[in-house]
Structure formats: C-alpha cells, structure tokens
Amino acid sequence: MTSHQILILAVMSAVVLGLRALPFVVFRKKKPSPLFLYLGKTISAAAIAMLVVYSLSTVSGAGAVPAGLIGLFSASAAVVVLQIFFRNPLLSIIAGTVIYMLSVQGVLGKLLFF
C-alpha cells in the first residue's frame, strides 16, 4: 500500500468518524424532540411492515417456487411469533431473514425433513 493510499484511507476514516460523532456533539445538551421520540418508537414497526409488504408482494400463485413459498410463510410465522413473545424487532428481522434464506437455498428442508 502506497503512502497516497494510506493518506486517502486516513482522511476517509476521519470524515466518517466525524460525521458519526457530529450529532452526539451537537445534541448532547438538548432534550430530544417529540418527533425523534415518536420515530424511535415507530420506526421498528414500520421497518417490519415494509419487509412484510415487500416479501408478500413477490407471491404469485401459479409461478411461485414451492421452496420460496415455504420459506416465505415459515419466516413470516417466525417473525410474528418472535415479535409477540420477545418484542425485539432486531431478533425478529434477523431470524426471519435467516429462516427465509435457509429455506430458499434448500438447507432448511434438508435439516427438517431428511
């Protein structure tokens, strides 16, 4: 790695660090606005709703792949159950994604049925 590349990497790292730290420095003494508090409460549900709409929009009765449908409905059920019991959106999203990807790749069927 040349000194020019190292310099570019250092500048990029400093800019990213500065941009990430800027909101904490600017808003450290201010009380959060009601808008931010509202978004903090509702953004997780909105993200899950968008994922549900997007994933269910790909279902097309006759042309859908059975593994995709099994993965879609099993992942959706897992997300709903995890959200009801644990109320942790991150856990629900990650588990649903993993279950869907494993079933679409054929790994979940091999683990469960063979």
Side-chain angles (χ1 to χ4, degrees):
M1 193 180 270
T2 66
S3 61
H4 186 260
Q5 291 172 328
I6 293 172
L7 181 63
I8 290 173
L9 186 62
V11 169
M12 288 174 29
S13 300
V15 168
V16 168
L17 181 65
L19 288 175
R20 290 187 178 225
L22 183 66
F24 294 104
V25 172
V26 172
F27 298 115
R28 71 175 172 231
K29 293 184 180 179
K30 292 183 179 181
K31 184 179 177 184
S33 73
L35 175 65
F36 284 139
L37 295 174
Y38 172 75
L39 289 175
K41 291 179 183 177
T42 59
I43 201 74
S44 297
I48 290 175
M50 285 191 307
L51 287 171
V52 167
V53 169
Y54 174 75
S55 63
L56 294 179
S57 69
T58 61
V59 175
S60 61
V65 178
L69 287 177
I70 292 170
L72 177 68
F73 291 119
S74 62
S76 299
V79 167
V80 169
V81 168
L82 287 172
Q83 192 62 27
I84 288 171
F85 286 114
F86 295 106
R87 298 203 182 270
N88 185 341
L90 186 61
L91 174 68
S92 301
I93 292 169
I94 291 173
T97 303
V98 168
I99 290 170
Y100 179 74
M101 293 309 294
L102 288 175
S103 66
V104 170
Q105 298 298 324
V107 175
L108 190 63
K110 291 177 185 174
L111 289 174
L112 295 177
F113 301 114
F114 297 111

